[in-house]
Every structure is written in C-alpha cells, then in structure tokens.
Amino acid sequence: MIKGYILLINLSLSSIVSWLAEAFEKETMAWIILIMAIPFIAVLAILVFRISRNIKPIKLSRFFKKVKLDILLEKDKPLRPQLLTMTIRNTGKNEADIDAPVLEFRKIWTKRKFKLNGINGNAIYPMFIGSGKMHQLRIETSTFHQYDRSIKSFYWARIIVTDVDGRRWKSNSVKLRKSLVT
C-alpha cells in the first residue's frame, strides 16, 4: 500500500513538472528556479558562516607531533562507587598540553557531562604533562549526586580528555550500577 502511494506521488510530481515546463517559457522557468534558490543559498551561507566561526585555526605542527595518552578510570567499589580515580599517563615522546577533562555519565540514551576544573575550587587545568609523566585526580561522586540527583540512576561513567590542539582521548567505561541491559 505504501509503495502505491509513493508511485502515485512520483507520477504526480513528474506530471506537475512536465505541465510547468509546457505552461511556462524556459526563461520564466529559469527566473522561478532562481527566485526559489535565493532562500536556500542564504540559509546555506548562514550555516557555513556559523560552522567556520567555530573552527579553530589549523596548526601544521599538530600533524607532525604525535601525542600518546593513556586515560584510565578506576572505581573503589564494584557497584555504586563513592570515589572514581582518573589517571592520565603520557606514553609518547612528546609533551601534552591538556584542557580540563570532562566526566560523562551515561544511561542508554541519555548523557550528562561535567567539566572537571580542579581540586577544591582551585583551577589546575590546562595542564602540561611531560613525556613519561602521570597525572592522577580523585573524583567524589557524591558532589555530582548533590548537584543533580538523577545521576544516581545512570549506569556508566567515563572521562573525555582534549588537548589544546583539539585531539580527543576517551577512557574506559566504568559500570556504576546494574541495569537490565548489563
């Protein structure tokens, strides 16, 4: 039945286009197409402008400098952990300049992200990690539960780290509580 409607629509569209082509001259059709294309081009130009405004300038050194980071997220208890430990280890030859990491709580279709700025209200990010060095941060989950109580029902957590040049690394996912899926 659906195929019949699609066929009917296709037939009617082609008949409409052919009727328009016969009813109007070619010059008139060109003007109609041009007038209909102006709003489309305007919307496309606005979209390109917004996207280009958010793009950071590309540095050539980014392509030649390889940064290898290992991000590990550990928990203190198997279920409903009170303390998460984030470990960032630079295993590459070059140093890394990382921005503030983001803690992401996930359900099946829902995500909630929190930016970790530092320790006890002191901003420690952006941070420079040399080759072979390690950074560790202990995260108490109770602070996030006080901020938003719905986070207690989320199933997984992970850390997302970005550097100044825009590269991204993700940690392993940590199970926070049991679900019907896992």
Side-chain angles (χ1 to χ4, degrees):
M1 180 151 177
I2 294 174
K3 292 181 182 179
Y5 286 124
I6 292 173
L7 180 64
L8 183 64
I9 290 171
N10 287 337
L11 290 175
S12 64
L13 286 177
S14 62
S15 64
I16 290 171
V17 170
S18 65
W19 177 80
L20 285 175
E22 292 172 2
F24 297 107
E25 298 176 8
K26 290 182 180 177
E27 184 178 328
T28 310
M29 285 296 285
W31 279 107
I32 291 172
I33 291 171
L34 181 68
I35 289 171
M36 291 176 67
I38 289 173
F40 176 73
I41 292 171
V43 169
L44 187 66
I46 291 170
L47 182 68
V48 167
F49 175 72
R50 285 185 178 174
I51 290 173
S52 66
R53 208 173 49 185
N54 292 334
I55 294 176
K56 295 179 182 177
I58 298 173
K59 298 178 184 176
L60 290 177
S61 64
R62 175 182 178 191
F63 298 113
F64 299 113
K65 188 171 110 173
K66 296 287 184 188
V67 177
K68 293 182 183 179
L69 293 179
D70 290 336
I71 294 99
L72 181 66
L73 187 63
E74 298 171 333
K75 56 186 179 175
D76 60 344
K77 296 190 309 187
L79 295 176
R80 301 195 187 272
Q82 298 296 319
L83 186 70
L84 298 173
T85 305
M86 173 192 68
T87 306
I88 301 174
R89 180 173 287 129
N90 188 352
T91 59
K93 296 178 183 176
N94 298 317
E95 55 277 342
D97 193 7
I98 61 169
D99 283 333
V102 175
L103 178 62
E104 178 184 68
F105 291 99
R106 291 186 306 128
K107 264 190 182 178
I108 296 173
W109 290 289
T110 310
K111 292 181 182 178
R112 185 70 199 262
K113 296 180 180 181
F114 293 95
K115 193 172 192 178
L116 306 174
N117 290 324
I119 302 169
N120 297 330
N122 299 326
I124 60 172
Y125 298 104
M127 178 182 283
F128 185 77
I129 299 177
S131 176
K133 301 290 182 186
M134 183 178 84
H135 168 65
Q136 208 168 37
L137 180 68
R138 299 192 192 292
I139 305 161
E140 292 184 22
T141 57
S142 62
T143 58
F144 301 105
H145 296 312
Q146 290 172 0
Y147 181 73
D148 187 5
R149 295 203 186 276
S150 67
I151 292 176
K152 286 185 179 182
S153 65
F154 283 59
Y155 302 128
W156 302 282
R158 71 175 171 188
I159 298 285
I160 301 170
V161 176
T162 58
D163 69 348
V164 176
D165 293 332
R167 295 183 203 99
R168 291 179 57 157
W169 295 272
K170 294 179 182 176
S171 73
N172 56 321
S173 291
V174 172
K175 186 191 289 189
L176 300 175
R177 63 188 289 265
K178 288 225 180 228
S179 69
L180 294 174
V181 178
T182 58

